[in-house]
Each structure stands twice: as structure tokens, then as C-alpha cells.
Amino acid sequence: MAYTSKYLELADAPAARIRRGECAPGDRFPTVNEPAGAHSVAPGTASRTVQVLEERGPLSGKAGGTTRVRVQPPHQVRANARYQVEKDLVLRPEEERATAGVAELDSGVSLSTTYEDRVELDVIPAPPDVAGFLGLETGALVLRRTSTRRHEQGAGADRSVSYVPHDLAGRNPRLFGLEREPWPGGALHRLHTVGIEVDRIEDRVAASMPTAAETEAQDVPREFRCSGRGKFRTPRPVRPWR
């Protein structure tokens, strides 16, 4: 019979309770000493149990801080049809554009129920990669729009960043103000206001290990966190949480 480490056995019970909804998202998880005493194991074993649950995703917490039941991110599906939906909205009345957008379509989370929706606008020299994509000279100014959303209190943040050449955005001074944020109609309508009709969208998918700041803001499970200076933690082969 295959041997199973004690900390893996101890992780099964709380994981099952969380799956059954007996522990609500955001609930505090017992300190290491409590499960260690309840199951007559060493604190190190109990600590590894908590780490496994953070790696699998049911728990969330920072070293030395409070561990809580993780607020699970919404399941998001990005279909190509989303772009046509957003383009069609460009010509719809503002009342309709303001009620829903493709971000809500992807996640199924209504903007009216979103816990946090924050937008930051600033003018900066275009980063080299952005300048390359937009065909700008190095150092050319762009309007940067950073959007941060949390669907529930305690949830990880969804963050998106977009760039528009400053000369182009300058055709509509309202693009530089926060009064209309979240902008009704999204990115395609913002471009529509400066005379741009989008006829082609190119998706490029890339991935990287999260920084420490991204880990905290997005509530990334430990399995995917950085460790040390410029080094990445090698994931341990743990059983997936289902």
C-alpha cells in the first residue's frame, strides 16, 4: 500500500469541508497550534498541512499573518465573439453600454455587484515594448489606463492595463478624466470617440511568474509564487484540489 504523508492526510478533511461550503470564503482558519493539538501532531506537520492547502488553493494567507478560506476567483471564459459584442455596443445608447461590458460577459459578475472597481489614468513615456506595438518612437507619450477589480471583499484583484498614443487620445480630452469611469462601452468606444473604428484584433498570449506585489494583489496560490531573489520556487507534486 502506498505511503501517504501525514500532512497530506490532514489536508483532506478541511479541503472537503471547504468544498461542501461549511467554511465560508474569508473565514479565519485555525492557527497551526490548534490542528497540531487536535490531531496530536508536531507543529511542523500542521504547518505543512496549511502550506499544502495554500498551494492547492482552498486557503490564502501571508507568512506570519492570518490564514483564511480563500475567496475563489470567478470562472472566466474569453470567447472570440466578445470582441464583436463590444464593437456592436459602440453604436448603442449610453444607458445600454453602461449596464454591461465584455469583462462582465467573461466572468458572469455584474458591475453593480463588484466589490471594487478602480481606474487610474496617467501620461507616461511609452515603455519600449508598447512603443513597438503601437509604432511609436521611443519616449513618445501615451495615456495609460490601469483598471483594478475585485468581485468580492478579500478576493484577488483582476488588473488590466491599456495604452493609447497621447496625440490620439488628445482628440477627446474627456479620456483623461475619471468622471466617466468605468467608461460605458469599454476600450472600443473610447477609440470610437476619437474617430477610430477597430476592424481587426490580434491576441497574443504570454505568461510569467508573478512578482511579490502581484502575488499579494491577485491572491496567487503558493504553488505559483516567487521565492528568493530572482529565483522561482519549484512546485511540489501535490494532489490537485477538486
Side-chain angles (χ1 to χ4, degrees):
M1 182 173 65
Y3 172 76
T4 302
S5 297
K6 185 65 176 179
Y7 61 82
L8 291 177
E9 292 180 2
L10 293 179
D12 289 338
R17 290 198 301 273
I18 294 171
R19 288 197 302 270
R20 292 194 298 265
E22 297 175 13
C23 303
D27 281 356
R28 173 188 165 279
F29 193 76
T31 63
V32 168
N33 289 334
E34 293 176 55
H39 298 281
S40 300
V41 297
T45 301
S47 177
R48 183 68 183 102
T49 298
V50 172
Q51 184 179 355
V52 166
L53 290 169
E54 290 181 345
E55 289 171 349
R56 295 177 179 177
L59 296 183
S60 175
K62 293 184 288 187
T66 301
T67 300
R68 298 186 180 279
V69 177
R70 187 169 184 247
V71 180
Q72 296 296 318
H75 179 64
Q76 300 199 43
V77 179
R78 290 174 59 94
N80 287 341
R82 72 193 299 273
Y83 299 121
Q84 188 61 51
V85 170
E86 189 174 16
K87 184 171 181 178
D88 291 341
L89 278 174
V90 164
L91 300 179
R92 303 303 299 166
E94 181 170 332
E95 295 76 12
E96 183 176 343
R97 298 197 313 269
T99 57
V102 290
E104 293 76 34
L105 179 66
D106 292 343
S107 65
V109 178
S110 170
L111 183 58
S112 63
T113 63
T114 299
Y115 174 74
E116 178 187 10
D117 184 51
R118 176 165 47 87
V119 173
E120 299 173 47
L121 299 169
D122 55 0
V123 175
I124 63 168
D129 56 337
V130 173
F133 281 129
L134 297 179
L136 302 175
E137 295 182 1
T138 301
L141 296 179
V142 293
L143 171 62
R144 179 174 63 183
R145 180 181 185 273
T146 305
S147 172
T148 302
R149 285 185 177 179
R150 297 180 194 271
H151 70 287
E152 292 183 30
Q153 183 176 6
D158 288 329
R159 186 170 180 265
S160 64
V161 184
S162 62
Y163 302 86
V164 177
H166 186 271
D167 290 346
L168 181 60
R171 298 179 188 176
N172 182 6
R174 299 181 75 181
L175 295 179
F176 294 84
L178 296 172
E179 297 81 9
R180 289 174 60 79
E181 294 291 351
W183 191 278
L188 296 194
H189 189 269
R190 291 196 295 276
L191 292 174
H192 174 74
T193 67
V194 296
I196 301 295
E197 179 185 358
V198 175
D199 64 359
R200 183 175 69 91
I201 292 178
E202 180 178 333
D203 273 336
R204 299 186 183 185
V205 180
S208 63
M209 293 297 290
T211 64
E214 291 169 337
T215 293
E216 182 174 352
Q218 299 174 18
D219 191 25
V220 178
R222 283 196 180 189
E223 189 72 11
F224 307 101
R225 297 183 186 181
C226 287
S227 156
R229 293 187 177 180
K231 298 181 180 180
F232 300 114
R233 178 179 173 277
T234 302
R236 292 184 175 89
V238 298
R239 293 173 292 176
W241 178 63
R242 292 187 174 91

